[in-house]
Amino acid sequence: MTNLEWFRTFKAIYETGSLTGAAESLFISQPGVSLHLSSLEAYVGYKLFDRTSRKMVSTERGKILYNYVQEAICKLEEAERHFHKSTEKDVPTISIGMCFETFQFTLEPYLPTLPFNVIIKFGEYPQMLGDLDNGILDLIITPQKGDYKGLEYKPFFTEKIVLVAGKHTPIEEIKKLINKNSLPEIQTWLKDQTWYGTAGDMEHLRRFWHQNFGKRPDFKPNFIVPNISSIIRCLSGGKGVAVIPDFLSKKELDAGDIKIIWEGNKVIENTLYFGTRKKSIYAEQISMVQEIFEREMI
């Protein structure tokens, strides 16, 4: 009889794309992950992944196996969370998905005050929506809504995507060009600046550029940093430009460490939603988290 932990390890490798990522998500050693995978491959009789220098790529048989076991494992993990005996009596645990910056700027300072346990998961929004529907997550903060009948969305905040500059970036010229609405000259000025972007998401810049100039940006940022928080720290009190959501830089804007250059001729806004399942046993805990977000962001 096969070991169910082999399948859970297989699922973790499939979703993280690496043995290291699977080990971190399962809180086990990497050799343990390798042993589980090799045991499962020996049991089923074929390779489940092609190993490259950068990631584990699923074979066709691996994809088929994942589709078979994914939902069942999710249900088992949900049951484990609900019924596992804990040293903390009757303390519920909720899982929340959001982007790193949203967590850092809103919920992070409040974690020690919450009367329940919290698991935070970062990732891409389509994956979060699927995890919410499958019961892996209980609440997500998302600008996207998926086509899942069991989920509901509550709008709570609208963010603007704006062009910002560091405190010591000269902006007199660009302000004059913006007042003249001289788009070719605005583009030229912008391309001459030092740009900051993030490794995982260039969507803000691409969307801003296309919305205002009718095309994709034909340049790359000078500096690629891990996240928007890094961009804000690099710009604060320095030089350079970036396209970011305005609420993430509110403290630095109020302090004058960075400044908004332009909201664009066509303002780009994202509505943020609380995504939840329609029926959740954690309604009370979810409501407390939602109140924190509403208080901090609104």
Side-chain angles (χ1 to χ4, degrees), residues 9 27 31 65-66 68-69 81 91 93 125 150 152 159 162 175 179 199 205 211 219 228-229 258:
T9 300
F27 301 102
L65 179 62
Y66 178 80
Y68 268 107
V69 305
R81 287 213 308 272
V91 178
T93 298
Y125 295 117
E152 56 186 6
E159 63 181 7
V162 296
K175 285 293 187 181
N179 288 335
L205 173 58
Q211 188 85 331
F219 64 93
I228 294 176
S229 300
I258 63 174

Side-chain angles (χ1 to χ4, degrees), residues 56-69:
M56 303 286 283
V57 179
S58 175
T59 63
E60 287 302 315
R61 289 184 176 274
K63 293 176 183 177
I64 294 171
L65 179 62
Y66 178 80
N67 289 330
Y68 268 107
V69 305

